[in-house]
Amino acid sequence: MSSIIEIKELKKSYGNNAVLKGINLVVHKGEIFALLGANGTGKTTTLECVEGLRTYDSGNIIVNGKIGIQLQSSALQAHIKPMEAIKLFAKWNKTVPDYEMLNSLGILELSKNKYADLSTGQKRRLHLALALIGNPDIIFLDEPTAGLDVEGRVSLHEQIRALKLQGKTIILATHDMAEVEDLCDRIAILQGGNIAFVGTVDEFTAIGGKRHIIRIKTADGQKDYETENITETLFTVLTEYKQKERAILDIQTDRVSLEQNFINVIRGAK
C-alpha cells in the first residue's frame, strides 16, 4: 500500500522532558488508523506535529495530501448558525460548500439553529462537516464520539466508514477501545516516547497469546482466573470448588480484550 504520512526519527522535548524520542511511523493511504497511548505519552504532540500545529526539534514528517481536522471542541461563536459556519470555512478554503456531503451529515436541516442550541451529536456532525470542507485526503478525528448516545455513535461510525470508501485516510485519536476495534485497520501505541507497537487490532490482541479470562460467580462474589489453557484451569478450579463445597452460580469465559492488552503494554507488563 502507498504511504500518505511518513514520520521519521521525530523528536520533541519540553524543557528537559523528552516526550518523543525518535518516532518512526507510516500511515497507508485509505486506512483508518489510530494512535493510542496513556495520557502524557506524546500522542497529542505527535498528531499536532503532523497537523502542523506544533513545531518539533528534529526528524522529518512527509504528508502526501491535504489535511482536514475535526477537533473535539471548537471556538465557534454561540450564535453562529451551522450554514454560516460552513460558508465562512468554505471562503477560507477558497471553495464552495458540498451540499451533498452536508445533506448526508444532516447539516442542512440544522440551518435555522444556533450553534449553542445544537446537541452534542449535532455539534460533532458540524465539526466533521467543517473538517471536510476543501475535500481533504487525510482527516484527523479527535474523540469523535465522546459524549454521544448509542444512536449518534452508530451514525457517526457509518459516516466514518463511508469516508473510507471514498478513499479518505482517517487518523483517529480516541480512548474508546471498543471504537478502535470497530473501526480501525491498524493501530500504533506510544509508550515512553517510542512506538511500542504497530499493526492490526488482531495482531495486537494476539500479543498476549491465547489468553482467556474465566469468571466464576458464587454467593460470595466473582473471581477471575487468567489462563492460556481453559480446559486445564477449569478442571483445577472446579475440582477445588467441589472439594470446598462452594456452589457455583455462573461461569463465563472471554478472550483477553484489546483494552486489557493495551493496559498491560502501557504498564510495561509482559
Side-chain angles (χ1 to χ4, degrees):
M1 298 178 66
S2 60
S3 62
I4 197 165
I5 296 175
E6 296 181 43
I7 303 173
K8 301 178 180 179
E9 291 298 320
L10 182 64
K11 295 182 180 181
K12 174 66 178 178
S13 296
Y14 298 102
N16 295 324
N17 181 25
V19 177
L20 303 178
K21 301 177 181 178
I23 298 298
N24 291 285
L25 193 62
V26 173
V27 178
H28 300 145
K29 183 178 180 180
E31 71 176 342
I32 301 178
F33 186 92
L35 182 62
L36 308 174
N39 291 333
T41 55
K43 62 180 184 298
T44 298
T45 296
T46 301
L47 293 176
E48 289 180 346
C49 289
V50 176
E51 293 164 348
L53 300 177
R54 187 173 298 277
T55 59
Y56 46 95
D57 301 331
S58 63
N60 193 26
I61 299 174
I62 301 172
V63 179
N64 297 311
K66 189 175 182 180
I67 287 177
I69 304 173
Q70 180 247 357
L71 301 175
Q72 186 176 354
S73 59
S74 77
L76 290 175
Q77 295 180 342
H79 296 289
I80 196 170
K81 295 179 180 179
M83 285 308 300
E84 291 174 341
I86 292 293
K87 291 176 181 178
L88 179 61
F89 275 59
K91 186 174 182 178
W92 285 340
N93 283 271
K94 298 179 180 179
T95 187
V96 295
D98 180 346
Y99 286 93
E100 183 177 348
M101 177 269 288
L102 296 174
N103 184 56
S104 69
L105 291 175
I107 304 301
L108 298 179
E109 64 192 39
L110 304 175
S111 60
K112 296 182 180 180
N113 300 76
K114 296 178 180 179
Y115 180 73
D117 297 329
L118 300 181
S119 68
T120 299
Q122 290 168 337
K123 288 179 179 178
R124 288 283 187 276
R125 286 191 274 125
L126 176 58
H127 298 162
L128 179 56
L130 294 174
L132 294 176
I133 289 177
N135 193 28
D137 306 293
I138 309 161
I139 305 159
F140 288 83
L141 303 180
D142 185 4
E143 301 288 349
T145 57
L148 295 187
D149 57 21
V150 173
E151 184 178 358
R153 175 191 175 93
V154 170
S155 175
L156 196 51
H157 280 190
E158 290 175 350
Q159 289 155 4
I160 292 171
R161 292 190 188 95
L163 290 170
K164 177 184 174 173
L165 290 175
Q166 295 171 25
K168 308 292 186 184
T169 302
I170 313 295
I171 311 296
L172 191 64
T174 180
H175 289 90
D176 188 335
M177 293 297 111
E179 184 163 77
V180 171
E181 288 188 279
D182 190 34
L183 289 175
C184 293
D185 298 300
R186 292 193 308 136
I187 63 174
I189 296 178
L190 269 169
Q191 182 190 24
N194 295 295
I195 299 292
F197 173 85
V198 180
T200 67
V201 171
D202 287 342
E203 288 169 343
F204 181 65
T205 304
I207 284 178
K210 297 179 180 180
R211 292 186 297 139
H212 294 77
I213 301 293
I214 299 174
R215 295 184 172 88
I216 295 184
K217 183 178 180 181
T218 67
D220 298 325
Q222 177 178 291
K223 188 170 182 179
D224 294 349
Y225 301 85
E226 189 170 318
T227 180
E228 293 187 8
N229 190 321
I230 293 180
T231 302
E232 182 178 317
T233 302
L234 263 178
F235 179 78
T236 301
V237 171
L238 292 178
T239 300
E240 177 186 344
Y241 275 60
K242 184 177 181 180
Q243 290 174 346
K244 294 181 178 180
E245 297 183 349
R246 297 180 63 189
I248 296 175
L249 303 179
D250 189 32
I251 298 177
Q252 295 181 347
T253 60
D254 293 299
R255 185 174 179 181
V256 172
S257 67
L258 171 65
E259 183 170 8
Q260 289 166 324
N261 265 355
F262 174 71
I263 291 171
N264 288 341
V265 167
I266 64 175
R267 288 178 178 173
K270 296 182 179 180

